[in-house]
Amino acid sequence: MSEQEAPTLQAQFAATNGDHQSLWKALWDNGTYLPWDRGQSSPSLVDLLNDHPSLITPSSSSQQLTALVPGCGRGYDVLLFASHGLKSYGLELSSSAVTAARENAKTSGLNPELHTFITGDFFTKNWQSGENSGTPEEFDVVYDYTFLCAMDPSQGLREKWADRMAGLVKKGGVLVCLEFPLYKDLELPGPPWPLREEIYKGLLENVGFVREMYVTPRRYLESGEGSDMVSVWRRQ
Ligand SMILES: C[S@@+](CC[C@H](N)C(=O)[O-])C[C@H]1O[C@@H](n2cnc3c(N)ncnc32)[C@H](O)[C@@H]1O
C-alpha cells in the first residue's frame, strides 16, 4: 500500500458501517484495485531467512517445520517459506484471494505438498477443522506483514490479533513481523493503520512473546523504504 494509493483505500473503509471483512472480500472479488499487492515477497523477509537460517531450520532431520501466513493475499510469502522446505499455509478471508494464490502457486514449480491455501477468518478456529482437518493448530513460524496494519484499532482488533497469535505460535516457535507502516502519522486513518515499535512490544509482551531480534533490513519494498523493521518474537 503506497501513500499515493492509500487514500482511496482509506476512503472505501471509512465509508463502510464497520464491516471491514465484507470490504476485503469485495475488493478481492472485484480484483481490480489491490494496491497492497507488490507481486513479490518483501526483500526484507528474503534477506532475514537467508541471513538467519536457524529461524527456519528444524532441530532434527526427521522434523519438518510449519509456517503460517495470515492474510496472505496472493501467497508470495507462503511460497517463500515453502521454497525453504517448510510446510507452509496461507490463510485468507477471501476465497477469491485463495483462488488467486493457488493459481500463482502453480507457476512456482514448488512441490504442491509444501503449500496449502485456506479460506477462513484468522480470529476463529473454524479453518483448522472440517474440510481442512489436518491443518496444524499451532505453527513453528508465523509471519505478519501488512496484516496487523489491516486491523482497525478502534475495533479492538489489535489485542485480539495478539491473543490469537499467542494461540497459533508453538511454544518455542517464532512470530516474525515486518513492522509497517512505522512512518505514518498515528492520527491518520487506515488501512494501513499506523504502527510503532512500542505498539508491537506492548501487544506481544503482554501475551508471552519475548523479542529476540530487531533488525534494520538491508533491502525493502518501496512502500516501507527506510522505515520498516523486522522483529522476531519467541513464544515462551
Ligand atoms: C493489506 S492486505 C495484505 C495481503 C498480503 N499480506 C500482501 O502483502 O500482499 C490484508 C489481507 O488480509 C486479509 N484479511 C483481513 N482480515 C482477515 C482475517 N480476519 N482473516 C484472514 N484474512 C484477513 C484481506 O483479505 C487482505 O488480503
Side-chain angles (χ1 to χ4, degrees):
M1 273 179 276
S2 73
E3 277 178 295
Q4 190 187 3
E5 290 157 333
T8 308
L9 199 58
Q10 291 155 10
Q12 291 190 45
F13 276 80
T16 68
N17 60 1
D19 181 2
H20 292 176
Q21 293 204 352
S22 292
L23 180 50
W24 286 117
K25 288 180 193 169
L27 286 163
W28 277 108
D29 289 347
N30 187 286
T32 54
Y33 182 63
L34 307 167
W36 56 84
D37 190 324
R38 299 289 161 198
Q40 64 177 90
S41 287
S42 170
S44 307
L45 178 65
V46 173
D47 290 347
L48 179 86
L49 301 184
N50 288 332
D51 293 351
H52 302 280
S54 62
L55 290 172
I56 47 169
T57 305
S59 49
S60 77
S61 57
S62 61
Q63 191 192 10
Q64 185 176 35
L65 296 187
T66 54
L68 172 70
V69 182
C72 66
R74 281 208 177 88
Y76 312 109
D77 304 319
V78 178
L79 299 179
L80 179 63
F81 282 108
S83 75
H84 282 274
L86 284 78
K87 189 153 175 49
S88 305
Y89 295 81
L91 177 67
E92 251 300 334
L93 201 52
S94 158
S95 58
S96 298
V98 165
T99 301
R102 286 179 182 152
E103 282 303 310
N104 181 42
K106 279 185 196 163
T107 64
S108 70
L110 291 165
N111 178 351
E113 289 183 9
L114 289 177
H115 49 79
T116 303
F117 294 96
I118 298 174
T119 305
D121 178 359
F122 171 79
F123 294 107
T124 75
K125 293 185 176 180
N126 302 344
W127 53 273
Q128 292 168 297
S129 56
E131 65 184 41
N132 302 317
S133 66
T135 305
E137 287 189 11
E138 296 179 320
F139 298 82
D140 296 288
V141 182
V142 178
Y143 175 61
D144 187 295
Y145 175 53
T146 59
F147 185 61
L148 177 58
C149 71
M151 306 292 153
D152 183 350
S154 74
Q155 296 186 349
L157 293 177
R158 287 184 172 173
E159 291 73 18
K160 287 186 185 163
W161 169 90
D163 280 343
R164 188 70 177 115
M165 283 300 186
L168 283 167
V169 178
K170 280 182 190 172
K171 273 195 176 182
V174 290
L175 169 63
V176 177
C177 296
L178 180 48
E179 300 188 356
F180 168 89
L182 303 181
Y183 61 85
K184 187 171 173 178
D185 193 313
L186 286 174
E187 302 309 315
L188 290 176
W193 275 277
L195 284 158
R196 292 289 184 274
E197 175 185 1
E198 297 70 33
I199 298 175
Y200 284 92
K201 275 176 82 83
L203 289 168
L204 292 171
E205 288 177 352
N206 202 32
V207 294
F209 285 97
V210 169
R211 195 173 74 183
E212 149 174 315
M213 290 170 55
Y214 200 49
V215 180
T216 303
R218 286 188 278 119
R219 297 185 297 148
Y220 302 85
L221 285 175
E222 196 185 330
S223 48
E225 186 81 47
S227 72
D228 286 0
M229 292 292 289
V230 176
S231 54
V232 177
W233 304 82
R234 182 84 53 189
R235 186 170 162 233
Q236 303 305 294

